[in-house]
Amino acid sequence: MPKCTQYNRQCAPPVKLNLFGRLNQYLLNYVSDVFEWPQSKKAQFINAISALICISQISVIYILLQFDLPKQHALHPIIHQYGIEYLFFSFCLYASMFMCGQFLRHTHPKIQAIYSFLSLLAYGVGAVIITYLLGPLSIATGVTLTMSPLVGLILFSNRLIAIVAICVFPIGTTCFILVAIGKIPYTILIESTQSMHQNISLLALMYGTGLPFLLLTLFIAYACIERWKQRELIVQTLSTTDSLTSLANRGVFLDEIESYLSRPRMHRKALSVLMMDLDDFKQINDRFGHLVGDDVLKNIAQTLQFITREEDLVARYGGEEFCILLPNTNRETAEAIAKRILTAVTETTTRKDNRTINVTTSIGLTTADAQQLNSGKVTVDMLLGAIDAGMYTSKTLGKNTLYFNPLPI
Amino acid sequence: MDNTRKPTHFYILDFANGFLSLSDIQKAKLLLYGVSLNALYLAALIFGIHFLPPELSQTLNKNTASNIIFMAIFYGFFAFIAGVTGELLEFSSKVIQDVYIYTAILMFCTGSLFVAHMLGDLTIITGVATSGAPIAGMVLFETRKLLHSFFFATLIYIIIVLLTFLGFARYAPLINDVTNYTSNPVWIGLVFLSAIPNIVVIMSIGIASILSWKKREQETIYLSQKDVLTGANNRRHLMDLLTQSIHNALLNKTPLCLMMVDIDHFKNINDTYGHLIGDKVIKHLSDLIASNLHGVAYFGRYGGEEFCLVTPYTQEEKALEQAEHLLHVINHTPFIFQPDNGSQEIQIHLTVSIGISSLRLDETYLHATDTLLFESDQAMYDIKRGGRNGAKMYAV
């Protein structure tokens, strides 16, 4: 994916991804399909996840039963008796709901909505039961409590999630209050809660089933947020950059001057602004055609990007006019930079059918020093007027030159 | 979208948009202030337990408690100082800003790890920090920065869990292991109360930003699917929906009807009253159709003054009934407007011609849309030829 750091930094060329990056890209592409699915298909997906969690729990309990664990490491006998039956029953429930979804794919929208609601409700109630079994204040509660609403909101409509939350939340709260006032034990999964952290069975059950769920849901959220961020970046890039040269556009340039002028006193030292206009550019367009003219502009833009510093802002102001904002730069440094630009532009060549095209430029420059900035009289229009007039003076002085035009205060 | 209707979560969305549009360093600053507040809150919470009756307060390991209060106050103070530093770094170079953001995230991580360790690593606090916090973090900061910090935090967490499992470190050092602490109200209350602020903040950030993103996406979709003048579906979206409905109908062998509604002598209205009034008449008709839709029926603007109404799951007789009802409504609701020159109100009595066609279930999927549209058009022209203001089913 293209990664643009700031407005005026050009889009980086596609980098070669390492194994992790390629895997990430592949998974992102795969998961982003999920967001395009219809709601009932997503509900089916949730059923599949619930069923898979049941299977993983069954297998963990089954493996634990194979070991003859000492009493303090074992689960409660009730779990040994009924645990697998309960989990198998809920697996069958989720699996049959998954299968039902397959047949309901093309039915009446209301039926589909009811199906989605029932699937989410089944998921929610299952989650409450599991979190109670692992302990109402255990990691599992934290994960399901925060993860389910967020991922739910990402995948489903707001109203559906609100209704399911209203149905499930009271059940969980009641369960928690009963534990807090001592009516029901903290957990019936294990016999003694005294050394929970050293109980192999509990830890295996907790991590063995919780971790895959956590990773899966985190990845869904990551994929969706990444997608949104990328889309926002594209919109932002389109609205702030010039499409031909990928430089910042005129609006961004004006905004940046404005924001520099409104900085607090200690963060603004001196501001230099520079405007350059390519000399006799119309002739290039007339002689070689507009396509070549565009190429010249692109090359010049690249040169400007290359020779300015990280914090400078290069913008395309008009047709063949470029503006550069040099923050915290005094007159001497700005003039040095401008001279460097003059030579760099003359050295930039564009090739067209064995012919080379070189252009020159005229620069108008101005600097507002700390004293002028602090007086509060400096405005955007004043700066623009100064550099514009400076540029025209350097044109009349014979082009390919630089003119410093002090501010009129 | 209707501008006058404010959604109920309007204020949350406003808050989220304001929060998301802050610069990274401002968000990091707020995060540090939050960490500082949370640390002080915890110190106060643990200090408050000393005032409980002795049979309850003896759950607390007094030595550890005083140490933790001291450390929490120190940590909170440090986070506050770091937060204040953020005010000065607003315009500094990118490297310093990155370092600052990393510091903020890491202070949050280590703080939650510390709290979680004091009250037990297997508690809800860890759960929130491993699930909700990454999502809220991804919303706020660059994903890369977050990944680095969480990798670091996970490593520390694994080490702590291993140490407690093997018995090298105490599990929940704040709590005396003398009693069975999971049935102790002090432990339950402490864990619950220390998790609550985290949950509230994380969930409100996460939910609010997801909602505002979703809203923006909906607005984009709305703009691309709706007709500008009437707010009904535009032709492209209508065709998408129709194709989908026909697919469903052919698959499940359910009936489907399509009505083509065209205003009679619309050109006269435009010529007499001007195009502005003509546009308003179209909007008027669109509103009338919209308020008389049955069940899952939907409609869209098919052409200039033509609307196309699709009624899935509807038999031919039922569709004809609905069309006649619509005709009745349109005939009895004239369009009323006040001319600019101040003379009295003008009523325009509208009449429409409705052509109906129904989907033949032996139709092949490829030609069904075209056939339906063609047949309803034919039926509509029959009405036009036969004197207008009527509804008719296409007859083979």
Side-chain angles (χ1 to χ4, degrees):
Chain A
M1 66 193 86
K3 185 123 179 112
C4 299
T5 46
Q6 271 293 326
Y7 335 97
N8 63 344
R9 301 294 152 207
Q10 269 201 326
C11 280
V15 279
K16 200 169 181 324
L17 293 166
N18 56 11
L19 183 67
F20 180 72
R22 277 212 303 276
L23 187 71
N24 182 30
Q25 205 69 29
Y26 174 74
L27 286 173
L28 275 183
N29 283 341
Y30 187 74
V31 169
S32 66
D33 285 353
V34 174
F35 305 114
E36 310 294 342
W37 286 355
Q39 200 145 11
S40 58
K41 200 173 172 187
K42 286 182 198 162
Q44 246 184 317
F45 175 64
I46 295 292
N47 279 325
I49 290 181
S50 312
L52 283 179
I53 291 175
C54 286
I55 289 190
S56 66
Q57 276 162 344
I58 290 176
S59 47
V60 170
I61 292 182
Y62 185 75
I63 293 170
L64 285 172
L65 286 181
Q66 300 306 307
F67 297 106
D68 196 15
L69 290 170
K71 196 159 187 274
Q72 69 268 26
H73 284 179
L75 300 170
H76 197 278
I78 287 182
I79 303 298
H80 291 191
Q81 275 177 4
Y82 302 114
I84 290 194
E85 275 89 340
Y86 162 72
L87 285 169
F88 187 70
F89 167 72
S90 36
F91 168 74
C92 289
L93 182 78
Y94 291 127
S96 55
M97 281 188 84
F98 178 81
M99 296 308 282
C100 281
Q102 203 67 31
F103 299 119
L104 297 175
R105 193 69 73 69
H106 298 289
T107 51
H108 198 286
K110 266 184 190 159
I111 298 178
Q112 292 193 21
I114 292 172
Y115 171 71
S116 315
F117 169 71
L118 286 179
S119 312
L120 290 185
L121 194 67
Y123 164 81
V125 173
V128 168
I129 293 172
I130 293 296
T131 47
Y132 171 67
L133 288 181
L134 291 169
L137 286 178
S138 69
I139 300 184
T141 320
V143 172
T144 44
L145 187 68
T146 49
M147 220 50 175
S148 311
L150 290 180
V151 175
L153 276 177
I154 285 176
L155 290 178
F156 295 93
S157 73
N158 301 347
R159 180 176 300 184
L160 186 62
I161 293 300
I163 296 172
V164 173
I166 288 170
C167 294
V168 174
F169 199 67
I171 306 177
T173 319
T174 324
C175 187
F176 176 74
I177 290 174
L178 286 179
V179 170
I181 61 177
K183 288 279 179 213
I184 52 175
Y186 181 72
T187 164
I188 55 163
L189 195 67
I190 42 180
E191 269 184 299
S192 154
T193 53
Q194 199 153 3
S195 56
M196 267 192 342
H197 59 286
Q198 286 179 331
N199 188 325
I200 294 174
S201 309
L202 183 73
L203 288 180
L205 206 55
M206 209 180 247
Y207 288 115
T209 59
L211 218 52
F213 172 75
L214 177 65
L215 289 180
L216 180 71
T217 41
L218 258 184
F219 194 80
I220 292 175
Y222 161 69
C224 188
I225 289 170
E226 204 62 0
R227 223 163 83 109
W228 277 331
K229 274 186 179 172
Q230 222 169 310
R231 230 176 263 182
E232 209 152 275
L233 191 74
I234 291 169
V235 173
Q236 207 194 10
T237 318
L238 283 179
S239 63
T240 54
T241 56
D242 169 57
S243 58
L244 176 68
T245 56
S246 314
L247 294 177
N249 62 17
R250 182 194 165 118
V252 172
F253 178 70
L254 297 180
D255 283 353
E256 283 291 306
I257 298 184
E258 193 79 62
S259 80
Y260 189 87
L261 291 180
S262 59
R263 277 188 188 186
R265 187 176 275 233
M266 62 173 292
H267 292 298
R268 43 164 209 227
K269 289 162 193 123
L271 173 69
S272 297
V273 191
L274 177 157
M275 183 187 272
M276 50 181 278
D277 187 279
L278 302 185
D279 297 330
D280 306 320
F281 191 70
K282 198 167 172 303
Q283 288 179 8
I284 294 175
N285 270 343
D286 293 347
R287 264 179 69 191
F288 301 98
H290 280 81
L291 279 176
V292 179
D294 286 352
D295 273 353
V296 173
L297 285 177
K298 269 189 227 169
N299 285 341
I300 298 287
Q302 249 174 23
T303 311
L304 291 179
Q305 284 283 349
F306 185 69
I307 62 169
T308 47
R309 301 162 299 176
E310 182 82 11
E311 62 266 29
D312 301 338
L313 178 80
V314 185
R316 185 170 173 212
Y317 194 76
E320 67 263 23
E321 286 172 353
F322 296 93
C323 279
I324 304 179
L325 180 80
L326 308 161
N328 300 338
T329 311
N330 57 18
R331 182 178 168 171
E332 287 74 38
T333 324
E335 276 181 349
I337 292 174
K339 274 177 196 151
R340 222 162 43 170
I341 290 174
L342 280 180
T343 36
V345 168
T346 10
E347 282 165 6
T348 308
T349 48
T350 308
R351 285 177 205 290
K352 158 80 179 169
D353 305 337
N354 301 330
R355 278 193 292 182
T356 56
I357 305 162
N358 280 3
V359 282
T360 57
T361 181
S362 311
I363 298 181
L365 174 69
T366 192
T367 300
D369 56 28
Q371 202 185 346
Q372 285 166 330
L373 285 172
N374 290 344
S375 72
K377 287 179 193 155
V378 183
T379 60
V380 180
D381 289 343
M382 188 188 281
L383 288 167
L384 285 181
I387 51 177
D388 201 35
M391 201 220 8
Y392 275 106
T393 317
S394 59
K395 288 258 181 207
T396 50
L397 284 175
K399 292 171 180 165
N400 193 16
T401 177
L402 143 83
Y403 183 79
F404 182 87
N405 193 13
L407 285 180
I409 38 173
Chain B
M1 223 161 266
D2 199 354
N3 281 331
T4 50
R5 207 187 83 235
K6 279 188 184 176
T8 42
H9 46 260
F10 186 70
Y11 294 102
I12 307 178
L13 289 186
D14 252 14
F15 168 75
N17 281 330
F19 202 76
L20 287 178
S21 60
L22 292 176
S23 69
D24 270 11
I25 200 138
Q26 276 168 327
K27 289 181 215 159
K29 198 172 72 190
L30 284 177
L31 179 65
L32 279 171
Y33 286 144
V35 168
S36 147
L37 267 181
N38 203 7
L40 295 179
Y41 166 74
L42 281 174
L45 213 59
I46 296 169
F47 187 66
I49 291 189
H50 291 276
F51 297 106
L52 289 177
E55 69 268 19
L56 286 179
S57 67
Q58 71 180 1
T59 341
L60 220 59
N61 192 332
K62 289 278 160 54
N63 284 335
T64 329
S66 56
N67 285 342
I68 286 176
I69 290 175
F70 176 71
M71 279 169 82
I73 290 176
F74 178 73
Y75 200 78
F77 183 68
F78 183 70
F80 181 73
I81 296 290
V84 173
T85 320
E87 310 272 359
L88 309 174
L89 297 177
E90 188 91 11
F91 303 102
S92 56
S93 74
K94 206 162 167 13
V95 183
I96 297 179
Q97 290 198 6
D98 279 359
V99 170
Y100 184 75
I101 292 163
Y102 269 122
T103 317
I105 300 176
L106 279 177
M107 276 195 79
F108 172 80
C109 291
T110 44
S112 343
L113 273 177
F114 183 70
V115 177
H117 179 60
M118 285 306 134
L119 293 167
D121 296 305
L122 301 181
T123 52
I124 189 169
I125 305 169
T126 322
V128 174
T130 48
S131 58
I135 296 188
M138 273 192 282
V139 168
L140 294 179
F141 299 107
E142 243 178 84
T143 318
R144 179 178 291 268
K145 282 185 189 121
L146 212 77
L147 266 176
H148 293 166
S149 319
F150 269 82
F151 183 70
F152 174 74
T154 316
L155 215 65
I156 298 181
Y157 173 69
I158 291 174
I159 293 171
I160 294 177
V161 168
L162 273 181
L163 284 180
T164 50
F165 178 70
L166 297 173
F168 291 119
R170 269 192 64 188
Y171 181 78
L174 189 63
I175 309 292
N176 275 329
D177 259 344
V178 191
T179 51
N180 198 351
Y181 60 84
T182 47
S183 57
N184 189 309
V186 172
W187 182 78
I188 292 180
L190 257 182
V191 170
F192 184 66
L193 286 177
S194 56
I196 279 291
N198 269 351
I199 295 180
V200 169
V201 171
I202 286 170
M203 292 304 276
S204 51
I205 291 175
I207 290 179
S209 51
I210 288 172
L211 286 184
S212 76
W213 261 327
K214 264 172 113 171
K215 190 165 163 255
R216 219 175 295 171
E217 202 157 277
Q218 271 171 7
E219 278 167 2
T220 323
I221 292 172
Y222 183 88
L223 286 177
S224 67
Q225 290 181 345
K226 300 293 167 178
D227 177 54
V228 185
L229 173 65
T230 56
N233 296 319
N234 62 18
R235 186 173 166 152
R236 176 156 35 96
H237 186 53
L238 182 75
M239 287 302 125
D240 285 351
L241 288 175
L242 182 62
T243 327
Q244 188 63 39
S245 299
I246 289 177
H247 186 68
N248 278 354
L250 289 180
L251 211 72
N252 299 333
K253 304 282 177 216
T254 51
L256 181 142
C257 286
L258 187 142
M259 304 181 200
M260 196 66 90
V261 184
D262 191 283
I263 308 180
D264 296 333
H265 298 302
F266 183 68
K267 203 166 172 305
N268 288 353
I269 298 176
N270 265 343
D271 292 347
T272 324
Y273 305 105
H275 280 80
L276 222 73
I277 297 301
D279 283 353
K280 282 183 185 161
V281 169
I282 289 179
K283 176 94 178 71
H284 170 73
L285 180 67
S286 160
D287 291 347
L288 278 184
I289 298 178
S291 54
N292 283 290
L293 282 182
H294 295 263
V296 288
Y298 53 89
F299 78 110
R301 192 171 170 201
Y302 188 72
E305 72 266 25
E306 276 182 344
F307 288 92
C308 184
L309 213 153
V310 185
T311 53
Y313 309 103
T314 312
Q315 302 283 358
E316 291 183 14
E317 304 82 52
K318 198 82 184 158
L320 201 62
E321 219 172 84
Q322 286 180 10
E324 256 142 27
H325 175 70
L326 185 64
L327 260 181
H328 178 82
V329 170
I330 291 171
N331 287 339
H332 287 80
T333 341
F335 176 69
I336 305 168
F337 74 99
Q338 185 84 40
D340 286 337
N341 55 21
S343 53
Q344 69 189 70
E345 288 182 338
I346 296 181
Q347 288 193 353
I348 304 177
H349 285 276
L350 285 179
T351 60
V352 292
S353 311
I354 304 179
I356 314 168
S357 62
S358 81
L359 181 71
R360 283 191 296 278
L361 294 177
D362 56 342
E363 186 72 82
T364 54
Y365 174 62
L366 273 178
H367 302 293
T369 317
D370 289 344
T371 321
L372 260 181
L373 288 169
F374 173 78
E375 288 178 1
S376 58
D377 220 36
Q378 287 298 313
M380 190 193 76
Y381 277 111
D382 276 358
I383 295 279
K384 292 252 177 201
R385 259 179 255 124
R388 300 193 163 86
N389 193 20
K392 191 184 170 216
M393 182 61 98
Y394 177 79
V396 187

